[in-house]
């Protein structure tokens, strides 16, 4: 049994009254348990194709996990590993943001790296919010592989700053990770401008090139969406530079455009 109208009324009542979240979760669980029991009985007596049966059992496992995590939450557990936040986006995780509103969003994390001209070189999706310090070595390695050369300058924010990462990038002339004294005085202005420009690249990617919200589901879907957006982003960046005649003639010849 599951009454959508009653669930909506309870949800609306909860939002209007601002009642204790644990009380609402307890009330939800009282409705969810009998519904899950009936659904389990239906699945066990189901006679259908193997594919449909497999999907039904997968959904039952997911709902059973939701029930387990709900009980853990009611018992006062704060940190639940791989907590389900959406039945439609199983790979989504709560991610705390550095801005005032919203303080927390749900989804997968996207790591991007740009070159100085503004082309988006790498895009990688991750479940949850992995530590930037740990992502730095892999991101740098992938950047060098894509560009087929080692950059002379690497710019990032304080989130990437660690002794280990400076050691990873020790063969690079200038490594700016959020502090002016990271680089020689002659390179500080350049590094600061590169850092500001990167913020602009990210803003364009999120607000104008589709990275703000994936229209596909799951980590695999987000990965496909990111690659499509990366292609779109770089194509528009190329056309912009081409119209402004900022593409070197050598590159145009290789592309067959000159």
């Amino acid at each position: 049994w599951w009454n959508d109208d009653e669930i909506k009324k309870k949800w609306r009542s909860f939002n209007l009254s601002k009642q204790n979240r644990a009380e609402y979760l307890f009330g939800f669980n009282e409705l969810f348990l009998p519904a899950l029991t009936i659904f389990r009985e239906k699945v066990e007596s189901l006679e259908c194709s193997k594919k449909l049966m497999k999907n039904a059992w997968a959904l039952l496992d997911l709902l059973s996990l939701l029930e387990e995590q709900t009980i853990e939450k009611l018992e006062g557990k704060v940190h639940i590993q791989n907590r389900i936040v959406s039945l439609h986006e199983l790979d989504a995780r709560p991610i705390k943001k550095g801005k005032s509103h919203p303080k927390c969003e749900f989804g997968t994390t996207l790591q991007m790296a740009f070159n100085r001209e503004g082309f988006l070189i790498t895009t990688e999706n991750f479940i949850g919010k992995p530590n930037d310090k740990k992502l730095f070595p892999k991101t740098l390695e992938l950047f060098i592989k894509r560009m087929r050369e080692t950059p002379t300058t690497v710019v990032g924010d304080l989130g990437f700053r660690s002794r280990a990462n400076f050691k990873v990038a020790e063969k690079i002339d200038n490594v700016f990770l959020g502090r002016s004294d990271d680089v020689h005085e002659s390179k500080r202005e350049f590094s600061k401008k590169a850092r500001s420009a990167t913020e602009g690249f990210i803003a364009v990617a999120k607000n104008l090139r589709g990275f703000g919200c994936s229209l596909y589901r799951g980590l695999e879907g987000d990965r496909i969406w990111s690659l499509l957006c990366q292609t779109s982003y770089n194509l528009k960046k190329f056309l912009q530079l081409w119209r402004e005649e900022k593409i070197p003639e050598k590159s145009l010849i290789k592309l067959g455009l000159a």
Side-chain angles (χ1 to χ4, degrees):
W1 173 85
W2 187 268
N3 190 319
D4 284 338
D5 290 335
E6 183 169 349
I7 295 297
K8 288 179 182 178
K9 287 178 182 178
K10 286 184 177 293
W11 178 243
R12 179 172 174 77
S13 174
F14 165 72
N15 283 324
L16 291 175
S17 66
K18 301 298 181 183
Q19 69 186 85
N20 185 284
R21 290 182 180 272
E23 290 180 13
Y24 177 81
L25 191 59
F26 181 79
F28 163 80
N29 203 45
E30 284 188 321
L31 295 173
F32 182 67
L33 265 175
L36 180 59
T37 301
I38 292 173
F39 181 67
R40 181 178 286 108
E41 292 172 355
K42 298 274 187 186
V43 171
E44 289 173 351
S45 62
L46 196 61
E47 294 182 4
C48 58
S49 65
K50 289 184 178 180
K51 183 178 180 180
L52 186 57
M53 180 67 78
K54 182 179 179 181
N55 291 339
W57 277 104
L59 179 56
L60 179 59
D61 290 341
L62 173 62
L63 295 175
S64 299
L65 178 60
L66 176 60
E67 170 59 20
E68 291 174 12
Q69 293 184 351
T70 301
I71 293 174
E72 287 180 321
K73 194 68 179 176
L74 288 171
E75 291 175 346
K77 191 170 183 179
V78 178
H79 299 290
I80 300 176
Q81 188 175 8
N82 298 327
R83 180 163 68 91
I84 298 171
V85 297
S86 171
L87 294 178
H88 298 287
E89 283 287 349
L90 302 183
D91 293 326
R93 296 289 180 269
I95 301 172
K96 287 187 176 181
K97 309 293 288 184
K99 51 190 178 182
S100 58
H101 180 79
K103 291 184 178 180
C104 181
E105 293 180 324
F106 300 91
T108 57
T109 297
L110 175 66
Q111 176 87 337
M112 297 185 287
F114 300 83
N115 69 356
R116 191 65 183 93
E117 288 72 31
F119 285 100
L120 182 48
I121 308 303
T122 70
T123 56
E124 293 294 312
N125 292 84
F126 304 92
I127 293 177
K129 189 179 180 182
N131 192 306
D132 285 338
K133 292 181 177 66
K134 294 181 179 179
L135 293 179
F136 180 84
K138 180 70 175 179
T139 302
L140 179 59
E141 179 185 346
L142 185 58
F143 184 94
I144 294 172
K145 182 179 178 180
R146 292 270 173 86
M147 296 298 291
R148 299 182 182 180
E149 63 179 3
T150 302
T152 57
T153 301
V154 168
V155 176
D157 59 24
L158 287 171
F160 298 97
R161 188 180 183 82
S162 73
R163 290 183 179 179
N165 287 340
F166 278 111
K167 189 172 182 179
V168 167
E170 62 184 356
K171 294 183 179 180
I172 297 174
D173 297 337
N174 306 293
V175 182
F176 179 88
L177 297 180
R179 292 184 184 175
S180 297
D181 56 3
D182 288 343
V183 295
H184 189 271
E185 187 176 354
S186 61
K187 289 291 182 178
R188 287 175 187 172
E189 190 65 25
F190 171 84
S191 299
K192 289 179 181 179
K193 287 183 178 179
R195 180 73 189 93
S196 297
T198 303
E199 290 293 339
F201 299 153
I202 294 172
V204 169
K206 290 172 64 176
N207 300 312
L208 300 178
R209 301 293 182 262
F211 280 102
C213 181
S214 172
L215 298 185
Y216 296 158
R217 291 183 179 179
L219 181 65
E220 184 178 355
D222 289 350
R223 177 63 180 151
I224 294 172
W225 183 258
S226 295
L227 291 173
L228 290 173
C229 290
Q230 181 184 14
T231 302
S232 170
Y233 179 98
N234 285 335
L235 179 58
K236 291 198 174 187
K237 171 60 67 173
F238 176 81
L239 292 175
Q240 175 191 349
L241 295 177
W242 190 22
R243 284 194 296 266
E244 295 173 0
E245 298 184 351
K246 293 183 178 180
I247 304 292
E249 185 176 358
K250 182 172 67 172
S251 298
L252 293 175
I253 292 173
K254 285 185 177 181
L255 293 169
L257 297 175

